[in-house]
Amino acid sequence: MMKNSITLLLMFLMAISLSNCSEPALDDYGDVRFELTDQNGETVIFPDDFEGSPVVMGFIYTHCPDICSFITANVGNVYKELDNPSDVQFVLVTFDPERDTPEVLKNYAAAFDMDREPFQFLTGSADVIDQFMQRVSVRTQESFSRDLENGDRAYFLNHSDKVLLIDQNSKLIFDYGGSMTPVSIIIEDLEKLRS
Amino acid sequence: MKNPLYLLVFCALIISSCTGQSDRTDESALITGEGIHIEGTWARPATEGRMSATYFLITNFEDEPDTLIGVQSDVAQLVEIHESYQMEGDMMGMREVPQLEIPAQSTVRLQQGGLHVMLIQLTRTLSDGDTFELTLNFANSEDITIEIPARL
């Protein structure tokens, strides 16, 4: 009886091991739960609501004029150049929730012609976004600011330049330089997950 | 019968020669241009009150270096020359570039992820296809005003 149990346990562990052989995970987000809000004001739970199909995820803030628009356009270009992208989710998460409300994200998405399926632009409470960014290893720090004529203060952030590829089981498979990585490389890796 | 044929070939050679001369003249003009030349202009679409950036190539045909000392446009509350750069690890930073030297007989490229003109707090929405004017001030050359299209 004991011997049979050990054999079954070994077979089970071997099966798990073999199932992970195809793409070794860099992280597994299965143990977390973040409540976020999309550009339409709808609540979204990460990773639960994303399980079942791969996710291409970038990190941005909308006051960023150069690198973040590059990252956003790259995510959009993966969608454009992908053959039949209906089984892939495209997500951009802000690390500046104070200014990036759902409405701001919606306008930002529209400027890139991405305020539509299958693109999601996510924000959340400052605490949740802070915890989320820690978990996905996205770092930020204020760089400089400008006082505007209308009395507002515009501040800018140094930040990680990152796009993640997460598989259908909430496992982090690849971590790219968001603005630097050619779209073709992300597509090549994505196709491995879809095949 | 041979004479008209020779005449035809002669005329064809003359026409061909003239066309070639014209192409070479244009090419020569490009290489030996004068002053400062701007090309490849574009800007990222964005909504009023937000940020954008514009990119282009600056070529200095002169034998002396020149310096871009200012940029102005009514499309944003603040218009500044900036540079994105890689910090340690995966961090990207951005810093102001107060003046930008354009070496003699050289082209400086303002492009995504590097040098760019930052448009802070747009005074109007820039949609795909919209245009706006940007004036560039140089230390040694006349001001240049260019029209910049917004595109995705």
Side-chain angles (χ1 to χ4, degrees):
Chain A
M1 180 68 180
M2 185 69 174
K3 191 176 177 184
N4 283 345
S5 299
I6 290 172
T7 306
L8 277 173
L9 181 64
L10 283 173
M11 285 173 69
F12 177 68
L13 290 173
M14 195 178 290
I16 290 177
S17 168
L18 284 173
S19 73
N20 288 335
C21 273
S22 53
E23 292 296 346
L26 301 174
D27 199 354
D28 184 348
Y29 299 129
D31 62 341
V32 295
R33 186 181 186 279
F34 294 107
E35 188 174 306
L36 303 166
T37 308
D38 71 13
Q39 73 267 35
N40 297 312
E42 302 290 329
T43 299
V44 174
I45 306 296
F46 178 86
D48 299 13
D49 291 346
F50 297 88
E51 286 181 351
S53 56
V55 180
V56 178
M57 180 179 283
F59 303 92
I60 57 159
Y61 76 113
T62 68
H63 278 70
C64 171
D66 186 44
I67 292 294
C68 298
S69 62
F70 208 167
I71 295 169
T72 306
N74 263 357
V75 170
N77 287 334
V78 172
Y79 168 77
K80 281 181 195 165
E81 294 183 24
L82 203 60
D83 183 32
N84 189 21
S86 59
D87 62 340
V88 181
Q89 303 172 86
F90 299 88
V91 181
L92 288 138
V93 189
T94 180
F95 40 76
D96 185 18
E98 187 184 329
R99 293 182 292 185
D100 288 343
T101 61
E103 186 185 2
V104 167
L105 287 175
K106 193 172 180 66
N107 288 332
Y108 178 82
F112 287 84
D113 191 27
M114 290 168 70
D115 181 25
R116 58 191 169 94
E117 293 288 337
F119 302 109
Q120 291 187 70
F121 289 73
L122 305 179
T123 185
S125 70
D127 282 350
V128 170
I129 289 293
D130 186 46
Q131 291 166 33
F132 185 84
M133 293 303 159
Q134 282 186 37
R135 184 55 199 264
V136 293
S137 301
V138 169
R139 297 177 297 151
T140 60
Q141 60 182 214
E142 188 171 324
S143 56
F144 63 91
S145 64
R146 291 283 182 273
D147 293 322
L148 303 172
E149 285 173 10
N150 61 6
D152 289 348
R153 175 177 163 270
Y155 59 89
F156 300 93
L157 303 169
N158 297 330
H159 57 88
S160 298
D161 178 17
K162 186 175 287 208
V163 165
L164 304 182
L165 181 56
I166 300 167
D167 76 3
Q168 50 272 40
N169 300 313
S170 310
K171 291 187 171 63
L172 173 61
I173 303 300
F174 289 105
D175 180 339
Y176 311 95
S179 65
M180 303 298 174
T181 307
V183 166
S184 59
I185 289 179
I186 300 175
I187 289 174
E188 191 178 315
D189 294 335
L190 192 49
E191 293 293 6
K192 289 178 197 163
L193 289 185
R194 300 168 80 204
S195 59
Chain B
M1 280 299 284
K2 280 184 180 173
N3 283 343
L5 187 60
Y6 285 137
L7 189 63
L8 192 64
V9 171
F10 181 69
C11 286
L13 283 170
I14 292 285
I15 291 166
S16 155
S17 162
C18 288
T19 309
Q21 181 93 27
S22 170
D23 286 344
R24 277 196 299 275
T25 304
D26 287 343
E27 202 174 294
S28 170
L30 193 65
I31 292 167
T32 59
E34 292 180 351
I36 300 286
H37 184 69
I38 311 293
E39 63 182 330
T41 58
W42 73 285
R44 180 70 69 183
T47 50
E48 183 180 344
R50 315 307 299 177
M51 310 288 155
S52 183
T54 180
Y55 311 94
F56 44 85
L57 306 180
I58 309 176
T59 300
N60 178 9
F61 289 108
E62 299 297 310
D63 294 328
E64 298 294 328
D66 207 336
T67 306
L68 179 62
I69 55 176
V71 279
Q72 289 113 38
S73 175
D74 63 4
V75 80
Q77 279 198 30
L78 288 173
V79 183
E80 299 177 355
I81 309 165
H82 280 245
E83 181 180 32
S84 296
Y85 66 102
Q86 184 143 21
M87 303 170 71
E88 84 286 358
D90 64 357
M91 292 282 277
M92 290 297 290
M94 191 167 63
R95 58 192 165 206
E96 187 179 3
V97 179
Q99 297 191 333
L100 178 62
E101 184 178 307
I102 320 296
Q105 299 284 327
S106 298
T107 297
V108 171
R109 186 182 294 267
L110 280 71
Q111 61 183 352
Q112 280 188 303
L115 288 163
H116 55 276
V117 172
M118 194 151 93
L119 308 171
I120 302 170
Q121 200 98 352
L122 290 176
T123 53
R124 59 186 169 91
T125 293
L126 284 179
S127 300
D128 188 19
D130 288 349
T131 61
F132 64 94
E133 287 191 343
L134 180 78
T135 298
L136 309 176
N137 315 123
F138 293 93
N140 303 327
S141 305
E142 295 288 312
D143 292 352
I144 297 177
T145 298
I146 49 176
E147 189 175 78
I148 298 181
R151 64 171 168 81
L152 291 170

